[in-house]
Amino acid sequence: MSNKHCSSSRYLFLLPLITCLAFPITFVISYGYSIANKNVNSTGDFPYISETGTKPPESCVFGQLLNIAAVISGLTIYVRYRQTHQAFKHLIPSSSKNNYRWNTAALVVGMCASLGVSMVGNFQMDNLLIAHYIGAGLAFVLGTVYSWMQVYLSYSLLVYMCSRAMFYFRIVCSFITTLFLIGTLVGAQLYQNNNKQVLSFRLLSTISEWIMALGLAVLFSFAEYNK
């Protein structure tokens, strides 16, 4: 039984890698479809990720692929939770209860972010805008919060399970996603405040959103399940 368990655990590293690839592939496919069907403007403008999956048929592909990505990311988050829990229990027996609480909180936040991804795919902007915005908030804001919670947990696991290089890498990725989350929100607000006349503000927002989303996807590919 234990041999079987070890054998199956050996492939857990594939989960974050698949998650990392699932999101860019989804975005590229839906963007390509929307350009081919002339549902987004390909010249002089750059769309939000959600705008590439608003109208059919790309909305069907966008929703289906994001649902798959949400499930895979949820599994990744759960495995990360179990990995960290076992590390605290067996590698650091003297670990404080606070570390366990942080790990549980990270699980809840991460799962809510995954739910947000699914909501973004299922509730398109043209169909149910409020639900779409709630999903985007869960995915991006809580996704960024989750990345910082993993920074804290990585610090707690230094030497025992997490290398310093990985710790600093997570800090850099978390800083980048935070920076571009702010860029997304500020750009969108400035665009609205100027009656949607200043295209540079919209570009700041849309490009920031793409970089932030890809940054979060990259974070998932460095979960160190085999350490």
Side-chain angles (χ1 to χ4, degrees):
M1 180 82 172
S2 79
N3 285 340
K4 253 187 204 179
H5 176 71
C6 291
S7 177
S8 59
S9 299
R10 192 179 306 163
Y11 300 102
L12 285 176
F13 76 94
L14 290 174
L15 270 177
L17 291 178
I18 293 171
T19 303
C20 180
L21 293 173
F23 287 104
I25 288 172
T26 298
F27 301 155
V28 169
I29 290 175
S30 61
Y31 180 72
Y33 259 115
S34 61
I35 292 293
N37 293 317
K38 298 181 180 178
N39 286 328
V40 297
N41 183 11
S42 59
T43 57
D45 191 11
F46 191 69
Y48 285 102
I49 294 170
S50 297
E51 289 175 344
T52 68
T54 298
K55 300 186 185 327
E58 58 265 23
S59 61
C60 304
V61 177
F62 184 73
Q64 183 62 45
L65 291 179
L66 274 189
N67 281 329
I68 294 171
V71 171
I72 297 171
S73 65
L75 289 172
T76 303
I77 289 163
Y78 178 73
V79 173
R80 176 65 182 172
Y81 161 78
R82 290 296 302 167
Q83 177 201 40
T84 304
H85 180 84
Q86 292 300 312
F88 285 142
K89 185 176 180 181
H90 298 292
L91 299 179
I92 322 174
S94 60
S95 185
S96 70
K97 289 183 179 179
N98 192 45
N99 286 336
Y100 288 99
R101 292 193 190 101
W102 267 92
N103 193 34
T104 303
L107 173 67
V108 173
V109 169
M111 288 299 186
C112 288
S114 293
L115 173 63
V117 170
S118 181
M119 289 179 66
V120 167
N122 292 326
F123 302 104
Q124 285 89 26
M125 294 177 70
D126 288 353
N127 298 325
L128 202 55
L129 189 60
I130 293 177
H132 182 85
Y133 280 158
I134 291 173
L138 289 172
F140 291 134
V141 177
L142 292 190
T144 302
V145 171
Y146 176 78
S147 71
W148 282 110
M149 295 180 88
Q150 286 302 319
V151 167
Y152 171 81
L153 291 169
S154 296
Y155 178 77
S156 302
L157 293 169
L158 276 176
V159 179
Y160 298 98
M161 196 179 75
C162 180
S163 66
R164 288 194 176 275
M166 181 57 62
F167 171 64
Y168 291 127
F169 177 82
R170 283 191 175 124
I171 290 178
V172 171
C173 279
S174 298
F175 178 78
I176 289 173
T177 56
T178 302
L179 180 66
F180 285 103
L181 171 63
I182 294 170
T184 301
L185 298 175
V186 170
Q189 189 60 53
L190 290 173
Y191 185 60
Q192 293 291 333
N193 291 347
N194 287 273
N195 299 315
K196 300 183 178 181
Q197 298 297 312
V198 184
L199 187 60
S200 58
F201 290 144
R202 174 179 159 85
L203 286 174
L204 168 65
S205 183
T206 57
I207 292 172
S208 293
E209 183 196 43
W210 281 76
I211 295 173
M212 170 184 57
L214 294 175
L216 287 171
V218 168
L219 262 172
F220 277 106
S221 68
F222 289 88
E224 288 190 297
Y225 288 141
N226 289 328
K227 283 200 161 193

